[in-house]
């Protein structure tokens, strides 16, 4: 597909983008990454001198919501990322081509840019039945994934599917859906997790922009998530935090508190346990995010969020006790049994003592 | 059982709980009480308040009391470990029970029989009886270590990824116990383990104070273990 390795700038100019627009875009990208204005010229310099990074975007077991999110990125626009920043050589969902010729691009890229392309994985590989639950191009997806990953420079795990397993890996996980980093044979390539169902569009494009601009991976936390977007919880920057600290909660979705925009903690908000940037970057071009729309966060960027009980319960239901019960119900029942046993034992002890006293008398 | 109250006792009282241990015990007791109450409320908040957010700081205070009490327990527990090293013989028995001594298990068995009311009289101990040592070791010592570790892991989420709490605790506890929400649930279950421990602890202390051959509750206030008869004490 790509014959000569062009720089970003060359591609942009070829597409009729003026230098003025190009510099504007560099400033915007710097802003989106939370960098100072001094970085705009550096981004411009990088784009003028560095070749575009080839990206293979593979799709496993998933719903394509990551792609849906990605194409709605506003800063930078997804089209800028795809057309200018990277060379998106293959992406079955948004590419026009199809069939064997399209698939051959994968081999071409692997061969031509061995060790120099990015592998973006959306969805995950089900390992059950030797991978037969997800067939892509006539072969189990897991085979394609492990083959291509051997040659990649780094792997981006888009979304909760590739990062954690998501819904298809929820108990009992019938297909053994497995997140990228746990797939056997994936190799020791650096893996960047960008969780969320889907991840925020601007987070996705910013992660790519960062890697293109600085030619290195963004700083990751110890679980492999970019720190700049996943180092704090939704709760830490939530605009309803004041109501949380005050003790003002929505008790029911149609009550006075709900109308006044109180904290959604009591109706199950997972903001306090969810690492993501929704409360700062927001969604749909910074328009809103679930909590702002009056709905509790469901914690979609957290590992196994699907198995953490009801979305509308603050306390997680703990399975394995016959009926669904949360920690408080289990604990109170145990404490009740122990207290009851102690009371009976106390009664028996008293009877024994009286009896033995009579004996002694 | 012989009523020893009218006979003169020749066996001397033993100074078993040194002052720092007694102070630690009661500070710990009240701090754990505060932690239990505020911890429960953090999971199940009190009814919503009205008006402006700036009028109140109720939930903030609940969390603040929880954190302050937690620090008291942590510092106290570290001190207690230090004291177990430099203190008297009885002070370290809950940390290092004599599992390797067969007589220890004989003592445990005897205590079980005593609590099943099958043994006619209990044995006599300067420190804890072997069954109490087991309960203290597994429910209290390991229970509080579990709560401190999971608690600091949750605290580290608030202090941030660059804090020592996050680096030392959250970074490995969160992935190990089902991320943030999972650790919250485990921390909650840990609280109930301690509640069960407290119920048993208080009940048994009162019962043994009345029915055993030595003083229990007053010893944790005065430090002195009194004995109700003159026969020798049991080792294990």
């Amino acid at each position: 597909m790509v014959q000569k390795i062009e720089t970003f700038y060359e591609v942009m100019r070829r597409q009729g983008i003026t230098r003025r627009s190009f510099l504007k875009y560099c400033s915007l990208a710097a802003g989106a990454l939370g960098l100072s204005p001094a970085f705009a010229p550096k981004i411009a310099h990088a784009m003028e001198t560095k070749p575009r990074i080839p990206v293979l975007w593979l799709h496993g077991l998933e719903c394509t919501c990551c792609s849906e999110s990605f194409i709605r990125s506003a800063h930078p626009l997804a089209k800028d990322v795809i057309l200018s920043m990277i060379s998106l050589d293959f992406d079955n969902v948004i590419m026009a081509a199809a069939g064997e010729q399209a698939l051959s691009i994968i081999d071409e890229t692997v061969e031509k840019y061995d060790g120099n392309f990015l592998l973006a994985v959306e969805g995950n590989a089900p390992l059950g039945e030797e991978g037969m639950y997800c067939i892509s191009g006539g072969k189990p997806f897991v085979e394609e994934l492990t083959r291509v990953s051997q040659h990649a420079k780094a792997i981006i795990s888009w979304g909760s599917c590739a990062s954690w397993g998501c819904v298809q890996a929820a108990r009992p996980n019938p297909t053994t859906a497995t997140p990228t980093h746990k797939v056997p044979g994936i190799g020791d390539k650096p893996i960047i997790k960008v969780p969320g169902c889907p991840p925020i569009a601007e987070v996705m494009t910013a992660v790519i922009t960062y890697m293109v601009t600085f030619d290195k991976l963004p700083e990751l936390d110890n679980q492999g998530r970019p720190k700049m977007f996943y180092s704090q919880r939704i709760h830490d920057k939530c605009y309803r935090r004041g109501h949380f600290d005050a003790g003002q909660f929505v008790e029911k979705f149609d009550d006075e508190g709900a109308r006044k925009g109180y904290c959604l903690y009591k109706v199950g908000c997972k903001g306090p346990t969810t690492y993501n940037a929704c409360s700062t970057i927001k969604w749909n071009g910074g328009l809103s995010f679930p909590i702002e729309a009056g709905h509790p966060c469901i914690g979609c960027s957290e590992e196994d969020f699907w198995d953490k009980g009801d979305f509308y319960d603050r306390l997680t239901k703990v399975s394995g006790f016959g009926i669904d019960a949360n920690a408080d119900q289990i604990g109170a029942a145990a404490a009740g049994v122990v207290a009851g046993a102690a009371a009976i034992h106390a009664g028996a002890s008293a009877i024994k003592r009286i009896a033995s006293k009579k004996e002694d008398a | 059982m012989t009523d020893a109250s009218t006979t003169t006792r020749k066996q001397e009282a033993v100074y078993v709980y040194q002052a720092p241990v007694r102070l630690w015990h009661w500070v710990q007791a009240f701090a754990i009480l505060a932690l239990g109450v505020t911890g429960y409320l953090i999971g199940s908040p009190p009814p919503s308040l009205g008006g402006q957010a700036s009028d109140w700081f109720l939930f903030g205070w609940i969390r603040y009391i929880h954190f302050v009490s937690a620090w008291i327990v942590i510092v106290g527990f570290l001190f207690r470990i230090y004291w177990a090293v430099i203190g008297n013989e009885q002070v370290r028995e809950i940390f290092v029970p004599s599992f390797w001594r067969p007589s220890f298990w004989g003592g445990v068995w005897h205590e079980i029989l005593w609590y099943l009311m099958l043994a006619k009289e209990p044995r006599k101990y300067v420190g804890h009886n072997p069954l109490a040592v087991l309960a203290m070791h597994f429910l209290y010592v390991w229970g509080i270590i579990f709560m401190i570790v999971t608690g600091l892991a949750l605290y580290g989420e608030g202090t941030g990824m660059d804090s020592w709490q996050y680096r030392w605790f959250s970074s490995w506890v969160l992935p190990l116990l089902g991320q943030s929400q999972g650790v919250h649930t485990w921390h909650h279950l840990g609280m109930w383990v301690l509640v069960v421990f407290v119920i048993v602890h208080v009940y048994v202390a009162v019962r043994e104070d009345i029915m055993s051959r030595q003083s229990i509750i007053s010893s944790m206030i005065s430090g002195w273990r009194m004995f109700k008869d003159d026969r020798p004490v049991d080792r294990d």
Side-chain angles (χ1 to χ4, degrees):
Chain A
M1 199 171 171
V2 179
Q3 298 307 317
K4 170 185 168 290
I5 307 173
E6 295 178 292
T7 66
F8 310 102
Y9 183 60
E10 282 164 356
V11 176
M12 282 175 132
R13 288 307 299 262
R14 185 160 54 75
Q15 288 175 351
I17 291 167
T18 62
R19 178 152 183 90
R20 187 181 178 82
S21 298
F22 167 72
L23 292 175
K24 239 185 199 174
Y25 162 77
C26 291
S27 308
L28 262 175
L33 289 168
L35 300 170
S36 79
F39 274 90
K42 287 191 183 175
I43 292 176
H45 179 72
M47 299 200 132
E48 282 166 352
T49 53
K50 285 180 190 164
R52 295 198 303 166
I53 300 177
V55 175
L56 292 181
W57 189 316
L58 302 183
H59 296 257
L61 208 59
E62 56 133 350
C63 70
T64 72
C65 77
C66 301
S67 294
E68 289 287 347
S69 176
F70 181 79
I71 58 175
R72 282 162 182 78
S73 174
H75 305 286
L77 285 169
K79 77 164 179 63
D80 288 332
V81 176
I82 296 169
L83 300 176
S84 319
M85 297 168 61
I86 58 172
S87 168
L88 187 59
D89 290 1
F90 183 88
D91 183 341
N92 2 18
V93 168
I94 56 174
M95 70 200 294
E100 279 180 21
Q101 282 173 323
L103 285 171
S104 69
I105 295 167
I106 297 177
D107 298 321
E108 208 176 282
T109 304
V110 164
E111 202 180 304
K112 201 167 164 188
Y113 302 103
D114 194 353
N116 286 311
F117 67 92
L118 288 176
L119 171 61
V121 187
E122 188 177 337
N124 56 33
L127 302 182
E129 304 293 339
E130 296 175 351
M132 297 302 274
Y133 291 111
C134 183
I135 302 292
S136 174
K139 286 182 207 153
F141 173 66
V142 63
E143 287 178 16
E144 185 179 56
L145 177 65
T146 49
R147 180 175 67 89
V148 176
S149 72
Q150 305 300 327
H151 303 276
K153 186 182 184 185
I155 302 170
I156 304 176
S157 285
W158 284 142
S160 291
C161 297
S163 299
W164 303 125
C166 205
V167 184
Q168 61 272 46
R171 271 193 297 267
N173 192 0
T175 64
T176 326
T178 307
T180 316
H181 64 286
K182 287 186 182 166
V183 172
I186 201 77
D188 53 356
K189 301 292 154 116
I191 296 177
I192 304 146
K193 292 196 189 96
V194 187
C197 191
I200 302 167
E202 281 75 14
V203 168
M204 299 176 80
T205 48
V207 166
I208 289 184
T209 308
Y210 186 96
M211 290 196 283
V212 165
T213 308
F214 298 108
D215 199 20
K216 63 174 183 187
L217 304 184
E219 195 187 346
L220 305 177
D221 74 355
N222 70 320
Q223 299 197 61
R225 299 169 293 194
K227 265 187 168 177
M228 57 181 136
F229 300 113
Y230 293 94
S231 65
Q232 283 190 313
R233 299 164 298 177
I234 308 281
H235 189 60
D236 294 320
K237 291 281 185 290
C238 183
Y239 80 107
R240 297 194 183 197
R241 180 63 188 258
H243 293 297
F244 171 84
D245 288 332
Q248 296 173 314
F249 302 103
V250 174
E251 305 274 358
K252 289 192 309 237
F253 282 109
D254 56 354
D255 69 2
E256 183 70 11
R259 278 190 288 277
K260 285 186 172 168
Y262 286 174
C263 173
L264 296 155
Y265 188 77
K266 274 181 144 179
V267 285
C269 185
K270 302 293 184 294
T273 55
T274 302
Y275 288 83
N276 208 337
C278 302
S279 51
T280 45
I281 294 177
K282 301 192 187 177
W283 288 80
N284 301 324
L287 178 72
S288 183
F289 72 112
I291 293 168
E292 194 167 338
H295 191 280
C297 165
I298 63 170
C300 75
S301 57
E302 284 292 300
E303 187 176 13
D304 297 337
F305 77 95
W306 206 264
D307 286 331
K308 292 280 155 62
D310 200 311
F311 290 158
Y312 303 99
D313 281 338
R314 172 61 212 150
L315 301 172
T316 298
K317 293 272 194 292
V318 181
S319 59
F321 285 87
I323 47 155
D324 269 353
N326 65 35
D328 275 354
Q329 289 157 339
I330 294 163
V337 167
V338 170
I344 293 165
H345 197 266
S349 301
I351 291 165
K352 185 195 172 194
R353 189 169 169 79
I354 292 162
S356 70
K357 273 207 171 146
K358 271 188 187 155
E359 230 172 77
D360 293 338
Chain B
M1 191 190 284
T2 50
D3 192 351
S5 60
T6 52
T7 59
T8 31
R9 280 187 293 271
K10 285 184 293 248
Q11 181 154 8
E12 285 177 19
V14 180
Y15 185 61
V16 58
Y17 296 128
Q18 295 155 300
V21 174
R22 273 144 44 214
L23 181 69
W24 165 80
H25 173 270
W26 293 110
V27 168
Q28 187 94 157
F30 286 106
I32 288 176
L33 180 69
L35 281 165
V37 171
T38 53
Y40 180 83
L41 289 174
I42 289 168
S44 309
S48 177
L49 297 168
Q52 293 294 319
S54 54
D55 294 343
W56 313 99
F57 195 61
L58 178 65
F59 213 57
W61 279 114
I62 290 173
R63 294 174 71 244
Y64 180 76
I65 293 168
H66 193 80
F67 297 149
V68 169
S69 309
W71 281 119
I72 291 170
V73 165
I74 292 168
V75 173
F77 190 69
L78 291 176
F79 167 78
R80 183 64 178 74
I81 291 172
Y82 165 72
W83 197 259
V85 176
I86 67 158
N88 65 16
E89 191 192 338
Q90 283 75 29
V91 83
R92 65 184 68 99
E93 63 188 8
I94 66 166
F95 289 99
V96 275
S98 337
F99 292 139
W100 59 88
R101 279 213 294 269
S103 59
F104 175 85
W105 296 102
V108 170
W109 179 240
H110 182 84
E111 282 302 315
I112 292 170
L113 292 178
W114 164 241
Y115 281 105
L116 290 173
M117 302 185 201
L118 295 173
K120 193 154 165 53
E121 73 170 8
R123 289 182 184 168
K124 198 168 159 182
Y125 296 98
V126 173
H128 293 97
N129 72 58
L131 188 62
V133 168
L134 276 187
M136 288 281 175
H137 183 71
F138 287 109
L139 289 179
Y140 173 71
V141 173
W142 288 109
I144 208 79
I145 288 173
F146 180 81
M147 292 307 271
I148 289 173
V149 169
T150 52
L152 280 171
L154 296 173
Y155 191 72
E157 297 196 277
T159 51
M161 282 194 178
D162 297 325
S163 66
W164 64 265
Q165 293 94 338
Y166 193 95
R167 273 185 275 124
W168 295 0
F169 295 96
S170 320
S171 61
W172 61 275
V173 176
L174 295 183
L176 188 69
L177 296 178
Q179 303 293 356
S180 181
Q181 186 74 13
V183 178
H184 278 84
T185 304
W186 281 108
H187 195 65
H188 233 79
L189 287 168
M191 171 188 82
W192 286 105
V193 169
L194 287 182
V195 167
V196 166
F197 168 78
V198 168
I199 292 171
V200 173
H201 179 63
V202 171
Y203 166 63
V204 167
V206 170
R207 182 182 193 269
E208 294 304 285
D209 203 53
I210 299 166
M211 298 188 57
S212 79
R213 290 157 64 198
Q214 67 260 22
S215 66
I216 302 281
I217 298 173
S218 60
S219 304
M220 196 42 96
I221 297 166
S222 70
W224 290 89
R225 177 81 79 215
M226 322 273 215
F227 297 99
K228 298 177 189 172
D229 59 50
D230 295 334
R231 283 170 291 154
V233 293
D234 295 281
R235 267 290 294 169
D236 279 310

